[in-house]
Amino acid sequence: MKAFAAGLALLVALAGVSLLVGVSQVSWGALFSPTPDERAIQVLVISRIPRLLAILLVGTSLGVAGLIMQMVARNRFVEPATAGTAESASLGLLAATALAPQLPVLGKMGVAAAFALVGTALFLFVLQRIPLRSALVVPLVGIVLGGIIDSVTTFFAHRLELLQSVNAWTTGDFSTVLRGRYELLWVTLGLTCLAYVAADRFTVAGLGESFTTNLGLRYSRIIALGLVIVSLVTALVVVTVGMIPFLGLIVPNVVSLLLGDNARRSIPWVALGGAGFVLVCDLVGRVVRFPYEIPGATIAGVLGSVLFLHLMLRRDARVG
Amino acid sequence: MNTFNKRPSSVFMSLGVVVALGALAVGGWRVMNGPAEGPAVPAAARGRAVTHAQGTTVVPEAPRRVVVFDLVALDILQALGVEVAGVAGDQFPHHLAPDADAKYPRMGSLFEPDYEAIHAAKPDLIVTGGRSSAKYAQLSRLAPTVDLPMSGANYVDTVVANTQLLAGIFGKEEKARELVTALRQSISALKETTSTRGRGLVVLVTGGRLSAYGPGSRFGLIHGDFGVPVAAEGLNASLHGEVIGSEFIREKNPDWLFVIDRDAAMGQQGGARQVIDNELVRQTTAWKKGQVVYLDPMNAYLIGGGLQAVKNLRDQVADAYAAQAGRVSGP
């Protein structure tokens, strides 16, 4: 509990720093002086706070989604993006851009989310038809399905000369987050809470189908719930800011290394770690080439791959 | 026993592979060397040597069947009044012939030439450039090929050089001189207008993301040639610009905001207006004065180096300034 409080304090401190970093001048002095700087407050309210909230929401929800995915699939190296959901959302965004470019941002989000749901439903449908001899089949099916959907996206994007746009919206980037442009992400908070409520079921499911059934629980239903949460979170993140690589892989792994596989215990930690990871990536991306930016996803890719390699080698040393 | 049986056959297999590879290599070598002896020599007898971006090519006098793999070249040839025998690509800006679909036989895409179609068209000149420059080597085996350089730092100078290069091949020097003089004059007139009317920022929107471009970049002609003073100093001339947020636009507070909507590749308005229309950009002088100019994406992005495209862009910018001025009107 003490450790968690310390972690939380660290995150709050980071969040405070994040509010001050940006092209416009914002300082605590200007905000809390007797005559507050109106421009600074505007920037804070319109741009900085929404950006911070988006980062925290994305970090927590993607981290928890990764944890659930790994428990449900009983595979340590599964990511939320391996269900074809990210690819479906991307295809939906492409369809909206090509067919109805005038659609407001919220409308485009709606279309993409609908596509993502259909893609996930397809994933669940395919999973039902395939004998799951190994937990590895789950992510493999997802990767194959994602690849097929992605090829459709690429084909149309190539034809419509929108390949670069697709690339832009699949790379996680918080630079365009403003008040009124991220609010859909609040839904992920609800999904994260739902995951917490169902945490014990995921822990049990993580012990296997026969074990779960022996305890009188419906294994398939838990799996389905997990996948719905995972895919909805992923879809929401993809349509609002784009995908953050490695997050769903690294944070849950580090936490389970330290705390074990009890989901109820680890979800708060995963949420904290995910938020911290994204916050650090975004901060680095904002500072490195100031006043320009590097997408947070790019930083996450660099940091993540290093951490991931370290993790794999460590794990091998212990288990292997 | 089994492994013993397998051994010799695998040896034969690898021997076969080696022989086959050798045969291929010899054949390939012949193919590589074949064409060089063929068409190049007779063409040299009657024609002129043209120096271009990828070397010197001997081009026949007044070529009649021209296949074009570059929208910039198509733009310039059309301005010069040269008919072409085939073009590459799927989409054509309105000013490059609304009847393009019916008019031009297709020669594949800018990235993947349709070699059969080119062969059937029997071109006596192929023009590549920009996106198709990478295919120069392959295409130059089919017919004399000229590659136009990309627009560099001196934007309009490159356009002029390309115009003169193509005009030289087709004996249209007189026409080219007229066009170039008119273009230069209209641009210097615009420059006088823009230099005193506030600083500008060029922003590209794609996939909901913003990137800024400075002088010397692919959209550098706004500053360098059109003379709009720079609102954001220190932007490098990188190909894909610098990723920025709306805070950057507000902080630099340009008087003129030039927006290129990359997603509007179809020539309609894409999503850029929604991205630009936000609480931070609304605080800029450019927004308050109604000085946000959405540059025609075809002219600005797709065929940036075309003579007509540059002229159209100039006119669009001049119109925007004239509309705002009332009294100070661009020509």
Side-chain angles (χ1 to χ4, degrees):
Chain A
M1 210 53 218
K2 222 178 220 172
F4 190 76
L8 203 61
L10 188 67
L11 185 70
V12 170
L14 266 177
V17 171
S18 143
L19 289 178
L20 302 183
V21 175
V23 183
S24 298
Q25 264 288 328
V26 175
S27 69
W28 292 124
L31 291 174
F32 291 110
S33 73
T35 50
D37 182 354
E38 205 176 304
R39 275 174 73 91
I41 289 181
Q42 269 185 342
V43 169
L44 203 67
V45 171
I46 297 171
S47 161
R48 300 287 167 80
I49 292 176
R51 183 168 187 158
L52 176 63
L53 289 173
I55 289 167
L56 298 180
L57 288 169
V58 166
T60 50
S61 61
L62 270 188
V64 171
L67 178 75
I68 295 173
M69 195 72 185
Q70 282 156 28
M71 296 209 138
V72 161
R74 303 179 68 200
N75 185 299
R76 285 264 163 243
F77 300 114
V78 166
E79 250 220 307
T82 54
T85 315
E87 289 83 358
S88 307
S90 190
L91 181 61
L93 260 182
L94 178 70
T97 306
L99 301 176
Q102 300 287 22
L103 215 59
V105 179
L106 251 169
K108 281 185 184 165
M109 285 176 178
V111 173
F115 266 72
L117 270 178
V118 171
T120 313
L122 184 69
F123 176 60
L124 293 174
F125 176 78
V126 173
L127 274 193
Q128 274 179 356
R129 309 269 141 158
I130 290 177
L132 296 176
R133 293 212 174 79
S134 145
L136 263 179
V137 172
V138 178
L140 280 181
V141 167
I143 289 167
V144 170
L145 190 69
I148 293 169
I149 295 167
D150 208 30
S151 65
V152 175
T153 310
T154 308
F155 175 77
F156 284 109
H158 181 74
R159 287 267 133 179
L160 301 169
E161 306 204 7
L162 288 172
L163 266 178
Q164 255 174 291
S165 317
V166 172
N167 198 20
W169 68 57
T170 47
T171 308
D173 181 4
F174 293 89
S175 67
T176 49
V177 171
L178 291 174
R179 181 165 74 185
R181 302 227 165 139
Y182 79 102
E183 280 75 1
L184 209 63
L185 281 175
W186 282 108
V187 179
T188 63
L189 183 65
L191 291 165
T192 308
C193 293
L194 180 63
Y196 188 65
V197 169
D200 293 333
R201 284 158 199 273
F202 292 127
T203 308
V204 171
L207 296 171
E209 180 167 6
S210 49
F211 188 87
T212 312
T213 314
N214 280 344
L215 287 182
L217 291 170
R218 289 274 289 276
Y219 182 73
S220 59
R221 197 172 283 180
I222 299 173
I223 299 267
L225 175 69
L227 288 176
V228 165
I229 292 177
V230 165
S231 54
L232 267 180
V233 164
T234 312
L236 285 162
V237 171
V238 166
V239 297
T240 42
V241 296
M243 203 58 199
I244 309 285
F246 287 110
L247 169 62
L249 213 58
I250 287 175
V251 176
N253 268 297
V254 170
V255 171
S256 92
L257 216 61
L258 300 172
L259 291 181
D261 285 338
N262 182 342
R264 186 164 295 282
R265 243 179 88 196
S266 53
I267 280 181
W269 276 101
V270 169
L272 185 74
F277 182 73
V278 179
L279 192 53
V280 167
C281 289
D282 186 65
L283 262 176
V284 171
R286 264 188 274 176
V287 171
V288 168
R289 295 220 52 202
F290 189 84
Y292 318 119
E293 302 200 10
I294 294 174
T298 310
I299 307 291
V302 174
L303 272 180
S305 48
V306 174
L307 280 171
F308 182 60
L309 274 178
H310 179 69
L311 207 69
M312 284 231 300
L313 296 174
R314 218 185 117 104
R315 186 169 288 279
D316 272 356
R318 269 191 173 186
V319 178
Chain B
M1 283 311 275
N2 241 342
T3 51
F4 185 74
N5 278 340
K6 264 183 188 164
R7 277 263 163 78
S9 72
S10 76
V11 168
F12 278 119
M13 279 284 280
S14 30
L15 262 179
V17 168
V18 168
V19 171
L21 276 179
L24 273 177
V26 172
W29 188 76
R30 277 199 191 128
V31 169
M32 295 273 282
N33 287 290
E37 300 154 9
V41 179
R46 44 193 171 75
R48 65 166 79 197
V50 175
T51 305
H52 53 87
Q54 299 202 30
T56 303
T57 303
V58 177
V59 173
E61 291 291 348
R64 299 197 14 223
R65 300 189 58 78
V66 191
V67 166
V68 178
F69 274 85
D70 185 26
L71 288 173
V72 169
L74 184 64
D75 177 302
I76 294 174
L77 287 174
Q78 205 189 55
L80 292 172
V82 174
E83 282 296 317
V84 301
V87 296
D90 296 317
Q91 289 155 28
F92 299 92
H94 352 276
H95 77 268
L96 291 189
D99 57 341
D101 280 328
K103 201 167 159 189
Y104 305 128
R106 274 327 125 73
M107 300 289 145
S109 78
L110 294 175
F111 299 100
E112 293 149 34
D114 181 346
Y115 294 104
E116 302 239 351
I118 300 165
H119 185 72
K122 298 194 184 69
D124 47 15
L125 178 67
I126 298 174
V127 184
T128 60
R131 295 167 175 89
S132 66
S133 284
K135 295 289 173 195
Y136 171 81
Q138 287 94 316
L139 290 168
S140 62
R141 288 193 208 157
L142 297 172
T145 304
V146 170
D147 186 52
L148 296 185
M150 294 261 266
S151 304
N154 303 312
Y155 212 90
V156 172
D157 290 345
T158 314
V159 175
V160 167
N162 282 340
T163 305
Q164 284 162 348
L165 188 143
L166 289 173
I169 293 173
F170 293 94
K172 299 268 186 185
E173 288 91 343
E174 193 55 38
K175 178 83 179 156
R177 217 165 295 140
E178 273 171 40
L179 291 168
V180 165
T181 311
L183 184 71
R184 290 239 195 243
Q185 272 171 2
S186 69
I187 286 178
S188 61
L190 174 66
K191 209 167 183 170
E192 277 168 31
T193 316
T194 53
S195 56
T196 56
R197 300 272 301 277
R199 302 160 309 125
L201 178 66
V202 184
V203 168
L204 178 111
V205 183
T206 185
R209 310 285 158 81
L210 299 167
S211 41
Y213 289 78
S217 70
R218 64 195 295 176
F219 308 119
L221 88 163
I222 298 285
H223 300 298
D225 295 296
F226 295 175
V228 177
V230 180
E233 299 289 345
L235 276 166
N236 291 328
S238 64
L239 177 65
H240 290 293
E242 298 281 0
V243 177
I244 55 160
S246 295
E247 255 185 52
F248 183 89
I249 301 179
R250 196 197 85 141
E251 203 53 33
K252 299 296 171 191
N253 192 21
D255 303 294
W256 293 86
L257 186 60
F258 300 95
V259 183
I260 296 149
D261 190 346
R262 202 205 157 277
D263 297 346
M266 321 295 289
Q268 301 155 347
Q269 295 303 336
R273 279 168 197 271
Q274 287 153 12
V275 178
I276 291 294
D277 181 5
N278 66 55
E279 291 177 273
L280 290 176
V281 175
R282 277 191 216 135
Q283 294 176 22
T284 60
T285 309
W287 183 276
K288 285 182 192 153
K289 285 190 170 178
Q291 300 186 149
V292 179
V293 183
Y294 293 88
L295 296 176
D296 183 310
M298 285 291 184
N299 288 327
Y301 186 83
L302 217 52
I303 34 168
L307 189 84
Q308 301 178 71
V310 169
K311 186 182 167 299
N312 293 348
L313 272 186
R314 189 224 81 102
D315 291 349
Q316 195 188 352
V317 173
D319 287 349
Y321 274 77
Q324 282 304 105
R327 51 189 194 285
V328 194
S329 60

